[in-house]
Amino acid sequence: MSKPVLLTVDDDPGVSRAVARDLRRRYAETYRVVRAESGPQALDSLRELRLRGDDTALLLADHRMPEMTGVEFLEQAMDLFPYARRVLLTAYADTDAAIRAINVVDLDHYLLKPWNPPDEKFYPVIDSQLEAWRRTERTTPGELRVVGHRWSNRSYQVRDFLARNQVPYTWLLDTSPEAAELLKAAGDPELPLVVTADGTTLSAPTDAELAAAVGLSTSPEADFYDLVVVGGGPAGLGAAVYGASEGLRTVLIERHASGGQAGQSSRIENYLGFPDGVSGAQLADRARRQAERFGAELITTGKVTGLETRGQARVVRQADGSEIAAHAVILATGVSYRRLDAAGLDDLVGVGVYYGAAMAETPGCTDEEVYVVGGANSAGQAAVNLSRVAKRVHILVRAGGLEKSMSHYLIQQIAGIPNIEVHTRTVVVSGEGTDHLERLTLSGPEGERTVDAHWLFVFIGAEPRTEWLDGMIERDARGYVLTGPDLVADGRRPADWPVTRQPYHLETSVPGIFAAGDVRADSMKRVASAVGDGAMAVALVHRYLEQS
C-alpha cells in the first residue's frame, strides 16, 4: 500500500512550497505530500489518486484563490475523499469566511497566516487532525434497505431511528418490484423488513436488534464507571464530552438517538459559533464523535427504569434487567412533547400524526398541505424546513401571535416565506382517517372547519417523563427534577439529606446524582444552556468525588 496523501493547494507558489516543505519535514516518513497551485489542479490530482486507489488523509487549502476559493475546492473534494480532514489556510481578515466554512464543508480547522514557528502553530494542529483521521472508520457503509407499508407506524419508527442515528438507508414501498423480490427471498416476513448490505434480513426488528445490525453499541463494556450519563441530548452529550475529556471513565445511555429533541431540528440559528446555523443532526453528530474521541462510551437503545444507592455507588437499572454502577450519575433525560388532546389523533400517531420534526417524513410532504401545531422555536424551525418541499405550511397557534413564545429572528424568517401561513387562536379539534390521517377539524376565530390533511406535526410544549424516579429523587409538581437551591428551605438542608454540606447547585436530593438540561426544574430551555448544564454538572461531580 502506498502512503496516505497530504494535499496542499495555494495559488501563491512561495506559500505552496513553504507549506509542502513544513509538511515533508515532519511527516514524510509516514505520508506523501502532494502540492497544487489551484483548486482545479488539486481536484485533478485527487481524481487521479482515487483512480489509483490511494487514500488521502488531509486537505489543506488556501482560502483566497482566483479560480476557485478554498471553500469551493473543499466542498468538491469532499465527494472524492469524504473522510479526509479539511483545513483552511487563511489570513486574519478572512476569519469570518473560515467560520462560515465550518458549516458549508464541515471544516475541521482553520490556520492563520503566518504559521511560524511551525512547532507551535502548525504541527500541533496537523498532528491532531491526522490522529482524528487515523481513528475514523473509513469503510464505506453498504446499502441498507427498508421495506414497509407507506402508512405503517413501525415502518416510520424504523426509518426515524436510522435517520436520527445517521445511518444511510433506502426506503422501498412494499408495492415496488424491488421490494417484492426482497420479500419473496425473505419468505414473506412480517413488515417492516430490513435488509443489510451482506444480505441479512431482519423482520420487524426491535430498536436493539436494529442498532446491533448497523453497528451501534447496545451494551456497556464494564460494570462500574466513574460517571453514568442518562440521556443523549445536548446536556448529556456535553456532560459526556467534559467528563471523558477530564479523565472520568464515562458511559452515556441513550434510549433512541443522540441529540434528543435538538437533534431533530432542521436548523438551529442562535447557537454560539455557528453564524449560518447548524442542523440539530449535524450538531449532535459532532458532539457524539467528540465524546467518543475522548473515550466516552455511548450506548444506544438503553432504557433506564430505576436508580438506587449502594453505599458510595450509584446504580442505574435498565429495562432488560441489567445494571450499571458508578461513583456519580448525571440525569439528562430532557423532555418529551406533550400529546395533543384531540379526538382521533392517538390512533393516527406515526401514520400522518407526528410528535416532533420527524425528519424521515419530510420527503413525503412534497407538494402537500402540511399542518404544524405550536408556537415555539421547534415548531417554527420545522415549518421553515417543511416549507422547502410542501405546497403550503399552516402553523396553528392557540395564542394571539408568536411573539411571546418564538425567537424574533425566526418570526421574521417565517414572515418572509410566502408558503407559510400562521393561523392564530386556532386549535385542532379532531382528526380522522382509516389507515392514515385524512382530515382535520380545526376551531378558530371563524368557528369550526374541516380540511383535508395527511400531515400533522405537533410541538405543544413538553413534559419530563420522570415517573421512573418516584420514591428516589425529589421533583416538582410537574415532574421536573429539583436541584441545589430548590431543595433548600430557609437555608436548611433537605430533611433526608445524609451529609453535612449543602447540595451542590445541580445536585438532586440524593448526593452524587445530578441533573442537567431540560429535565431540571426552572432550567432555560435552550441548547446552549443545556450544554452549559452538562459541563457544570461534570465540574460538580469532580467536587463531589474529591469530598467523598
Side-chain angles (χ1 to χ4, degrees):
M1 292 290 290
S2 59
K3 296 177 182 178
V5 169
L6 311 181
L7 184 142
T8 173
V9 51
D10 196 305
D11 67 306
D12 184 327
V15 174
S16 178
R17 286 192 295 269
V19 174
R21 177 202 64 212
D22 286 343
L23 289 173
R24 290 192 181 102
R25 183 177 295 165
R26 187 173 182 111
Y27 306 106
E29 290 187 8
T30 311
Y31 298 90
R32 182 160 62 97
V33 177
V34 174
R35 74 180 184 92
E37 295 183 2
S38 71
Q41 184 186 96
L43 289 173
D44 288 341
S45 297
L46 290 178
R47 293 187 187 101
E48 185 176 342
L49 290 168
R50 186 175 180 183
L51 284 173
R52 292 205 305 255
D54 293 339
D55 207 351
T56 299
L58 178 78
L59 303 169
L60 197 159
D62 182 58
H63 175 58
R64 286 200 180 188
M65 295 187 291
E67 291 183 74
M68 176 185 290
T69 69
V71 172
E72 291 169 341
F73 161 72
L74 291 173
E75 193 168 11
Q76 294 190 42
M78 287 172 64
D79 296 331
L80 296 169
F81 289 96
Y83 299 106
R85 305 297 289 183
R86 294 175 284 276
V87 178
L88 196 67
L89 188 62
T90 182
Y92 181 78
D94 294 325
T95 52
D96 285 347
I99 292 171
R100 288 195 295 272
I102 291 172
N103 299 317
V104 176
V105 296
D106 199 11
L107 191 70
D108 295 302
H109 204 91
Y110 67 89
L111 276 167
L112 292 177
K113 299 177 183 179
W115 62 89
N116 290 321
D119 286 337
E120 294 180 11
K121 298 183 178 181
F122 187 70
Y123 293 140
V125 171
I126 304 303
D127 285 346
S128 65
Q129 294 305 317
L130 293 178
E131 174 61 22
W133 178 79
R134 286 191 293 269
R135 289 166 57 97
T136 300
E137 175 58 52
R138 296 188 295 278
T139 56
T140 302
E143 182 184 74
L144 192 79
R145 289 169 289 180
V146 180
V147 180
H149 298 302
R150 175 65 194 89
W151 299 109
S152 160
N153 185 19
R154 184 54 192 158
S155 292
Y156 155 68
Q157 291 173 351
V158 166
R159 290 183 291 126
D160 184 61
F161 179 87
L162 294 172
R164 292 184 61 190
N165 281 290
Q166 308 289 308
V167 179
Y169 68 92
T170 298
W171 164 239
L172 300 171
L173 291 175
D174 59 322
T175 54
S176 69
E178 185 180 352
E181 292 181 7
L182 292 172
L183 293 173
K184 182 179 179 181
D188 195 25
E190 182 182 354
L191 296 182
L193 173 71
V194 176
V195 183
T196 65
D198 63 5
T200 301
T201 58
L202 302 173
S203 177
T206 64
D207 283 355
E209 291 170 339
L210 195 56
V214 299
L216 298 174
S217 178
T218 58
S219 60
E221 296 178 1
D223 296 324
F224 197 92
Y225 293 82
D226 295 318
L227 174 64
V228 173
V229 180
V230 183
L237 288 169
V241 167
Y242 281 93
S245 68
E246 294 175 10
L248 298 178
R249 186 167 190 187
T250 302
V251 60
L252 182 150
I253 306 172
E254 166 55 39
R255 183 172 182 176
H256 193 65
S258 299
Q261 284 190 9
Q264 294 180 279
S265 175
S266 58
R267 181 64 55 178
I268 301 169
E269 298 192 62
N270 58 353
Y271 188 67
L272 185 67
F274 291 87
D276 295 321
V278 60
S279 74
Q282 186 182 31
L283 187 64
D285 181 59
R286 289 183 178 186
R288 176 190 57 77
R289 289 189 281 119
Q290 191 175 16
E292 290 178 329
R293 182 169 68 86
F294 285 122
E297 291 180 40
L298 270 62
I299 307 302
T300 307
T301 69
K303 182 181 179 181
V304 176
T305 57
L307 272 176
E308 64 178 274
T309 60
R310 294 178 191 167
Q312 291 298 106
R314 305 294 179 256
V315 181
V316 172
R317 293 195 306 275
Q318 298 195 82
D320 62 3
S322 63
E323 296 182 341
I324 306 174
H327 292 299
V329 173
I330 295 177
L331 302 175
T333 50
V335 292
S336 300
Y337 288 113
R338 289 204 306 266
R339 291 298 179 103
L340 190 61
D341 185 17
L345 293 190
D346 284 348
D347 296 331
L348 299 169
V349 173
V351 288
V353 177
Y354 304 95
Y355 288 87
M359 301 300 289
E361 294 301 314
T362 301
C365 298
T366 301
D367 296 328
E368 293 270 359
E369 298 275 339
V370 177
Y371 291 80
V372 175
V373 180
N377 280 8
S378 54
Q381 290 160 353
V384 170
N385 180 56
L386 290 165
S387 71
R388 299 186 178 102
V389 298
K391 179 181 179 181
R392 182 168 294 275
V393 179
H394 303 269
I395 301 179
L396 311 180
V397 189
R398 181 184 295 271
L402 300 171
E403 289 75 17
K404 290 185 178 180
S405 55
M406 190 177 292
S407 294
H408 178 67
Y409 82 89
L410 201 50
I411 295 174
Q412 288 185 313
Q413 193 172 351
I414 288 171
I417 300 175
N419 64 330
I420 295 182
E421 186 174 347
V422 180
H423 305 267
T424 58
R425 305 193 189 283
T426 301
V427 298
V428 177
V429 176
S430 64
E432 301 175 70
T434 50
D435 60 347
H436 66 279
L437 177 67
E438 297 174 0
R439 290 172 299 280
L440 288 172
T441 298
L442 311 177
S443 177
E446 298 177 359
E448 288 193 2
R449 59 191 175 97
T450 300
V451 296
D452 292 333
H454 296 154
W455 306 93
L456 177 69
F457 297 88
V458 183
F459 307 82
I460 55 166
E463 48 196 18
R465 305 286 173 87
T466 54
E467 299 83 1
W468 60 281
L469 293 171
D470 279 348
M472 181 64 180
I473 301 294
E474 287 191 26
R475 298 168 295 143
D476 66 12
R478 296 181 298 164
Y480 290 93
V481 176
L482 296 172
T483 60
D486 293 331
L487 293 167
V488 180
D490 301 324
R492 298 190 302 271
R493 293 188 298 274
D496 297 329
W497 188 250
V499 293
T500 56
R501 63 172 175 82
Q502 298 281 35
Y504 296 132
H505 184 68
L506 299 182
E507 198 167 22
T508 70
S509 56
V510 176
I513 299 178
F514 299 79
D518 290 359
V519 74
R520 184 173 63 85
D522 296 326
S523 64
M524 181 70 69
K525 304 299 188 281
R526 288 290 186 271
V527 174
S529 61
V531 174
D533 265 15
M536 187 192 305
V538 170
L540 296 175
V541 165
H542 278 291
R543 190 182 301 178
Y544 165 77
L545 294 176
E546 289 167 358
Q547 298 186 4
S548 296

